[in-house]
Amino acid sequence: MGHFEMPQPTEKVQALHARMTLEEKLAQLVGFWVDQGGEVVAPMADEMATSSKYDEATPHGIGHLTRVYGTRPVDAAERATWLAGEQNRLRTQTRLGIPALVHEECLTGLAAWKAATFPTPLAWGATFDEQLVEEMGRRIGESMRALGIHQGLAPVLDVVRDPRWGRVDECISEDPYVVGMLGTAYVRGLQSQGVHATLKHFVGYSASQSGRNHAPVHAGPREIADVLLPPFEMAVRDGGVRSVMNSYAEIDGVPVASDPAYFEELLRATWGFDGVVVSDYFSVAFLHLMHGIAGGKGEAAELALTAGIDIELPTGDAYLEPLAERIRAGVTDESIVDRAVLRVLAQKEELGLLDDDFTFTPEPVDLDSPEHRDVARRLAEESIVLLTNDGTLPLAQTTGKRVALIGPNADSSEALMGCYSFANHVLAHHPGVPVGFDIPSVADTLADELAGAEITVVHGSDVTGTDRFGIDEAVAAALDSDVAIVVVGDRAGLFGRGTVGEGNDAESLELPGVQRELVERVVATATPVVLVLLTGRPYAIDWAISGSTRPGAVVQAFFPGEEGGTAIAGVLSGRVNPSGRLPVSLPRSAGAQPYSYLHPALGGTTDITTATSDPVLPFGYGLSYSTFEHTALVVDDMVVFTEATFTARVTVRNTGERRGTDVVQLYAHDEHASVTRPVAQLVGYARVELDAGDSVEVSFQVPPTRLAFTDREMRKVVEPGRIQLWVGSSCDDRETQTSVELTGETYEITGADERVVHTEVTSNVSV
């Protein structure tokens, strides 16, 4: 294993540290939530709200200001003026004059009132478009920098393991490579603007038992190494991320927040991370209050600091007086505090906060500019997945046609946004406060798309509950129409305020409430039906995909953001040719979970069980209004050494009648290895846009790291043997296939080779 030596602090940082009292050191290791105001925007935030007054909390300075903009609806310009004054106060009225680092949530855009809301990360995954995700990150970073925010608490790099988990909409994919590629792109975009990204949640959080929030994790070390860790490694090694946040999880009985093996040994010594680790909110105190491995908050602080968690967020419940008492008593060594303080000061120096001329001067900023909306629109359009279509879509020549638009999400703007959007995260506590920017629903945009159509909007049912009050009206509207569009799905929220989102784990993967009954009753009218799913997780909808009364078309949208209504309407009309692909398998049932397409042979359907786990639709699946043909997959060299990169080429042709985009997916399977290997593994992908009839040769340069795995000795290796390769429309579709023989000795990836190198793709050779 490689071992990195950490850079030494600069003379300026060392001199500042040498002047600090214990109280001043500890103050730099905590945040303060200035405006929590009773808002429940973190687990147990109401029970753990600080009683300290802000003025009393900062006589020795402060490390972080927690969520200055994102806890309640405040005018950004007014808040920025307050922040400028506060930074000046810290500079001029504390002994050391160290400004605070300001952090904020930014997963679907800056979490501030009236700021642009982009598609949720599961929608990013559906695009397979890291360039556009990076552009989104840049736009978010611009807004944050203008408001004096230094650190964003995103992206989430948890790999989806169980769709019952409430936080699936915050995740990118069930494939670690896709998570790593898109997550690293977001990091690059955000940090290009001088704002530090924060990887969440390191590590294992999404693998919780039965998909329950904060439940124990039983993943083995090989699953952790080969599935859960690679996205974080990519963002550290390839993306240069500057901050990491711990997972709430405990793995095999050891809470991650107390485990130096992850933060000090793997993250820093092996991967070379030299940034700052922050705690997830209240997770340090949880070592005492929830996990029960510390006798008090002071002991919890010692465990967390020893593990490598430098900053306690959102406030200093453990790192202040409880820890100070132990240090004064000689129980805890102050050196662990010094180590963290030096890292924090180095981060502040990197961000310019220690500059002699540091100042924050607010400037006018448009948080929802035309540039923001353009990126939001393109990302939403690319994320929509067409699951089935018998020719009902697109809805062309609608003049004079009657359209019934039905469902609880048809005329809902909130249904377009994820859990960590400001609207669903914060404004749910403030009924009557407007969103503050334009977020048209499907109903708002459909009339413009379906020119000349007569559209009737019917609610049909609520998202949740058993009230069937509107189903009969919906049926009547469908009977009186030429086509019915039924828009159902989720409502994102926190801790019971929605059907998906943090704390909203599911026991069933059936559509919430009576929405399935609504859809089936409308389908039974024999009027052509288009089902639109606006959800934060994939649901078990086999009845809509292959049932006897299935709709004519099914469209999946994963919380597509402020331009999502426009994008959906564009797909329905045909203005937008859908190109999204499933970033997660479409589950068969809750009982088949957890499931991943990355399963070994005995992890799928076999003749030794009557309980199938096969998904209804596979990872990578998605239709288009065009059709694409993949042929002539070849490798340049049929035999290569285990340590060598090989090149695979495939011809892609648009066999449809209009221009469209294909997501070309290259999969591999290791036929024989020292440990079981997945039946399919994505090793490379490319978005390719082609005119009707055109074709292109796509070339994948696959490095050995894409085929590496953890062997029985827990070494990352590439073993000799035959690798099956194929390209198709999903992980299950072997439309064209070949193989490559790896030869030579087992190649152990060590030192500088340990990084997760991505597959280079080119597609500029027309044929």
Side-chain angles (χ1 to χ4, degrees), residues 375-425:
V375 174
R377 174 189 55 78
R378 287 186 284 140
L379 199 59
E381 290 176 351
E382 290 186 7
S383 73
I384 295 170
V385 187
L386 180 60
L387 300 181
T388 66
N389 186 22
D390 65 0
T392 300
L393 290 180
L395 300 175
Q397 298 177 346
T398 55
T399 300
K401 289 191 175 180
R402 296 165 299 170
V403 177
L405 182 59
I406 297 166
N409 285 346
D411 199 17
S412 170
S413 295
E414 291 78 9
L416 298 168
M417 297 179 283
C419 172
Y420 267 72
S421 65
F422 189 82
N424 290 328
H425 207 65

Side-chain angles (χ1 to χ4, degrees), residues 130-159:
E130 62 266 20
Q131 287 81 18
L132 190 51
V133 170
E134 181 173 345
E135 187 174 348
M136 175 188 66
R138 285 198 300 272
R139 296 298 179 189
I140 295 171
E142 288 174 356
S143 297
M144 298 177 77
R145 184 187 60 198
L147 293 177
I149 302 168
H150 311 104
Q151 183 167 338
L153 303 187
V156 171
L157 298 190
D158 295 302
V159 178

Side-chain angles (χ1 to χ4, degrees), residues 393-396 446 449-450 568-576 625 658:
L393 290 180
L395 300 175
L446 201 61
E449 290 287 349
L450 304 183
I568 290 169
V571 167
L572 298 180
S573 71
R575 176 180 56 82
V576 175
Y625 296 146
R658 62 178 289 181

Side-chain angles (χ1 to χ4, degrees), residues 14 121 157 185 269 343 530 609 621 705 707 741:
Q14 293 185 59
L157 298 190
R343 291 169 179 170
V530 177
T609 177
Y621 177 90
T705 46
L707 302 175
E741 187 78 21

Side-chain angles (χ1 to χ4, degrees), residues 127-402:
T127 71
F128 287 78
D129 190 342
E130 62 266 20
Q131 287 81 18
L132 190 51
V133 170
E134 181 173 345
E135 187 174 348
M136 175 188 66
R138 285 198 300 272
R139 296 298 179 189
I140 295 171
E142 288 174 356
S143 297
M144 298 177 77
R145 184 187 60 198
L147 293 177
I149 302 168
H150 311 104
Q151 183 167 338
L153 303 187
V156 171
L157 298 190
D158 295 302
V159 178
V160 175
R161 302 301 277 168
D162 192 327
R164 294 174 295 181
W165 193 46
R167 303 191 76 168
V168 166
D169 84 287
E170 300 177 46
C171 303
I172 295 170
S173 175
E174 74 181 68
D175 182 86
Y177 182 62
V178 174
V179 177
M181 288 291 287
L182 297 180
T184 299
Y186 180 94
V187 167
R188 289 192 180 114
L190 195 74
Q191 294 192 165
S192 71
Q193 301 305 305
V195 176
H196 285 185
T198 307
L199 308 184
K200 298 162 54 172
H201 306 83
F202 190 72
V203 63
Y205 190 23
S206 60
S208 59
Q209 179 177 291
S210 303
R212 296 298 187 265
N213 200 32
H214 293 214
V217 172
H218 306 298
R222 188 167 291 101
E223 179 182 349
I224 293 170
D226 290 351
V227 178
L228 303 181
L229 285 174
F232 293 94
E233 184 179 4
M234 293 171 75
V236 170
R237 290 180 179 271
D238 297 340
V241 74
R242 303 308 298 141
S243 185
V244 173
M245 175 182 282
N246 74 282
S247 162
Y248 286 121
E250 61 178 69
I251 301 175
D252 196 24
V254 179
V256 173
S258 69
D259 195 345
Y262 287 111
F263 300 102
E264 290 302 314
E265 297 172 24
L266 179 64
L267 183 63
R268 293 189 184 277
T270 302
W271 293 352
F273 174 74
D274 63 352
V276 172
V277 175
V278 300
S279 78
D280 205 344
Y281 284 12
F282 308 115
S283 63
V284 176
F286 283 1
L287 294 176
H288 165 56
L289 297 172
M290 306 295 288
H291 294 294
I293 67 165
K297 290 184 179 179
E299 185 180 355
E302 180 178 340
L303 286 170
L305 276 168
T306 301
I309 296 180
D310 305 306
I311 290 280
E312 182 186 13
L313 298 180
T315 60
D317 294 299
Y319 277 17
L320 292 177
E321 193 55 34
L323 178 60
E325 289 179 3
R326 291 176 65 87
I327 293 173
R328 294 189 193 105
V331 177
T332 297
D333 193 324
E334 192 173 341
S335 63
I336 59 173
V337 171
D338 292 330
R339 181 178 69 178
V341 170
L342 288 169
R343 291 169 179 170
V344 168
L345 293 178
Q347 183 188 26
K348 289 193 172 184
E349 182 180 44
E350 182 180 339
L351 288 164
L353 295 176
L354 302 187
D355 292 350
D356 293 337
D357 59 350
F358 168 80
T359 184
F360 167 52
T361 304
E363 298 178 359
V365 57
D366 185 350
L367 298 179
D368 186 40
S369 69
E371 292 78 14
H372 285 84
R373 298 200 73 95
D374 176 67
V375 174
R377 174 189 55 78
R378 287 186 284 140
L379 199 59
E381 290 176 351
E382 290 186 7
S383 73
I384 295 170
V385 187
L386 180 60
L387 300 181
T388 66
N389 186 22
D390 65 0
T392 300
L393 290 180
L395 300 175
Q397 298 177 346
T398 55
T399 300
K401 289 191 175 180
R402 296 165 299 170

